[in-house]
Amino acid sequence: MTSHQPPANRPLTIALCAGEASGDLLGAHLMAAIKQRYPQAHFVGIGGPRMLAKGFQSLYDQEKLAVRGFAEVVKRLPEILKIRRGLVRDLKRIRPDVFVGIDAPDFNLGVAEKLKKAGIPTVHYVSPSVWAWRRERVNTIVEQVNRVLCLFPMEPQLYQEAGGQAEFVGHPLAQTLPLDADRDAARRHMKIEPWEPVFCLMPGSRVSEIDYMAPIFFRTARLLLQRYPSARFLLPVATVATRSRLISILHQGEFIGLPIQLMSAHADLACTAADVVLVTSGTATLEVALCKRPMVISYKISPLTYAYVKRKINVPHVGLPNILLGKGAVPELLQDDATPAKLAAAVAEWYESPQDVAALQQDFLNLHRLLQKDTDALAAGAVLAEAGIAAAVPEAAPEAV
């Protein structure tokens, strides 16, 4: 790879594409780490509110890509493909120094493949779960991108064995969340009494997830309220679109009056303050683990999508904490088992078993230490290296006027 500086007539230009809320957070952290070395760096592509707040130029609406499940994607496929074609066309014209696809592999790897063929270096940040299902994807991914940045330690070897370049950069949540999750401090901050039963509900970061999971979680909350009349429920909200959908559901007759407090972001605060967390399977389960809280993992998707995914899964668990710990540390109630009665019973079991919670917290502390690296700096260094400028002298920050 030839080292180079960006052309004199423009700053370092980095294209990023984050398809959902978790990718938006990774993108914002990556931007901040790169700007420490190159303050004048320009970022363009597709991003969400956190990236936009840092000066990102988003060419398309991120929310249009936040669709889950095979059946759901099929309905939106023409629109998604149109966005992908437009993004590829735009980035070929802009000629960024490097393209970084952040998660969302079904969308981003197709973009990366076309840009790589056009001579633009490509990085994929967050390995798809090739260790869990569709392992044959590794060979294809190695052809599509120059480098893969992995959040989990078992992933790089799979790419290296296929002749690709990959590295473990740690998980950004393990970098940002404290090893010691202070439940009492979180409650004081939120003006919650130590004795109050508090449950955190995390039905998902996408509107399509909210549609499936929120009604189930709210019915579960109603059952828990019957068991613990003084209980309160915290629900961190990822985006404006998900907040709107949640409010719409809460205004339905059966849910009116539930003591559910919607919170703008602050998922870590809500999790840390809670006695137990009810969470949809995904990245959020790892955040709960790093907050050292007991959880019940659930997931429900269309029968067609579930039938397809189930045939492809290679691991005994779907929740990230269980996968990383190599055991069923927390319950998983999926698809037909995702009923309010079963979920409420599993949540209550954690609430009433403090000795089991203490053992779980030690497991989660060990997991936190395993995943804790200087993720942002490692990822930024890898992206700059792929752009061929890692050894170059960073741009000077503008002088104060």
Side-chain angles (χ1 to χ4, degrees):
M1 185 183 301
T2 303
S3 181
H4 67 278
Q5 285 281 9
N9 63 343
R10 68 169 174 86
L12 168 67
T13 301
I14 295 177
L16 305 175
C17 181
E20 56 190 48
S22 59
D24 180 38
L25 181 61
L26 288 176
H29 281 282
L30 179 61
M31 287 173 63
I34 290 173
K35 281 187 173 183
Q36 285 186 347
R37 303 192 196 187
Y38 289 84
Q40 303 304 310
H42 176 63
F43 299 89
V44 63
I46 299 178
R50 292 182 180 91
M51 294 166 68
L52 293 173
K54 293 188 178 297
F56 186 79
Q57 180 188 356
S58 193
L59 304 175
Y60 300 89
D61 182 1
Q62 182 198 55
E63 191 66 37
K64 293 185 182 299
L65 302 183
V67 183
R68 70 165 192 168
F70 177 75
E72 292 78 10
V73 169
V74 167
K75 295 176 186 175
R76 297 274 299 279
L77 191 57
E79 182 182 24
I80 292 171
L81 290 177
K82 183 179 179 181
I83 292 172
R84 187 160 74 177
R85 287 193 300 270
L87 182 63
V88 169
R89 181 187 63 245
D90 294 340
L91 294 183
K92 282 183 177 179
R93 173 180 53 80
I94 294 169
R95 301 297 300 180
D97 296 281
V98 62
F99 168 76
V100 185
I102 305 174
D103 211 353
D106 291 332
F107 183 91
N108 278 325
L109 289 173
V111 174
E113 182 176 25
K114 291 179 172 59
L115 296 180
K116 184 180 177 184
K117 288 178 180 176
I120 297 171
T122 59
V123 176
H124 192 71
Y125 188 8
V126 183
S127 167
S129 303
V130 291
W131 35 269
W133 72 302
R134 289 173 58 200
R135 188 166 294 194
E136 70 277 4
R137 290 178 293 171
V138 170
N139 294 319
T140 304
I141 293 168
V142 166
E143 294 298 319
Q144 291 171 312
V145 300
N146 298 98
R147 187 187 300 234
V148 181
L149 306 183
C150 303
L151 306 190
F152 302 118
M154 69 287 198
E155 295 173 328
Q157 183 179 353
L158 297 173
Y159 294 99
Q160 291 160 4
E161 289 174 350
Q165 187 170 2
E167 54 227 83
F168 171 49
V169 297
H171 201 288
L173 286 174
Q175 178 187 3
T176 56
L177 294 174
L179 281 173
D180 178 23
D182 192 335
R183 175 177 169 273
D184 292 338
R187 289 197 170 204
R188 285 194 300 272
H189 181 81
M190 298 185 66
K191 296 180 172 54
I192 298 173
E193 296 294 337
W195 54 264
E196 289 186 79
V198 178
F199 305 102
C200 181
L201 307 178
M202 302 181 73
S205 61
R206 310 174 191 174
V207 170
S208 53
E209 285 177 327
I210 297 297
D211 286 340
Y212 269 104
M213 302 308 302
I216 298 171
F217 281 17
F218 294 163
R219 292 182 186 113
T220 302
R222 199 171 56 190
L223 293 176
L224 289 168
L225 195 61
Q226 292 174 6
R227 188 164 184 155
Y228 312 109
S230 60
R232 57 194 293 184
F233 302 87
L234 308 177
L235 201 167
V237 181
T239 67
V240 172
T242 53
R243 171 180 281 273
S244 175
R245 188 59 58 89
L246 285 164
I247 290 173
S248 174
I249 295 170
L250 283 170
H251 283 164
Q252 295 174 11
E254 63 177 309
F255 304 130
I256 291 175
L258 277 175
I260 294 176
Q261 178 182 346
L262 299 185
M263 302 171 58
S264 297
H266 298 299
D268 56 334
L269 183 64
C271 288
T272 303
D275 291 295
V276 188
V277 181
L278 178 57
V279 57
T280 293
S281 182
T283 303
T285 63
L286 183 63
E287 184 167 12
V288 179
L290 297 177
C291 290
K292 320 301 184 302
R293 304 315 301 150
M295 76 189 86
V296 176
I297 297 173
S298 187
Y299 205 68
K300 192 178 179 98
I301 50 181
S302 72
L304 176 61
T305 302
Y306 184 73
Y308 173 73
V309 170
K310 191 175 181 181
R311 290 197 306 269
K312 296 285 187 176
I313 292 177
N314 302 326
V315 290
H317 306 290
V318 301
L320 278 170
N322 288 339
I323 291 170
L324 293 167
L325 290 170
K327 61 181 180 180
V330 300
E332 299 177 354
L333 295 170
L334 314 173
Q335 210 62 10
D336 293 340
D337 286 329
T339 67
K342 289 183 178 181
L343 293 172
V347 169
E349 187 170 353
W350 276 127
Y351 183 73
E352 297 170 11
S353 305
Q355 70 283 358
D356 293 337
V357 171
L360 180 72
Q361 288 173 330
Q362 186 58 53
D363 280 341
F364 286 167
L365 179 60
N366 295 337
L367 177 58
H368 198 149
R369 288 176 174 142
L370 173 68
L371 298 178
Q372 192 176 51
K373 286 180 171 288
D374 192 352
T375 301
D376 300 336
L378 290 172
V383 168
L384 291 171
E386 207 54 56
I389 57 173
V393 178
E395 300 170 8
E399 294 183 6
V401 178

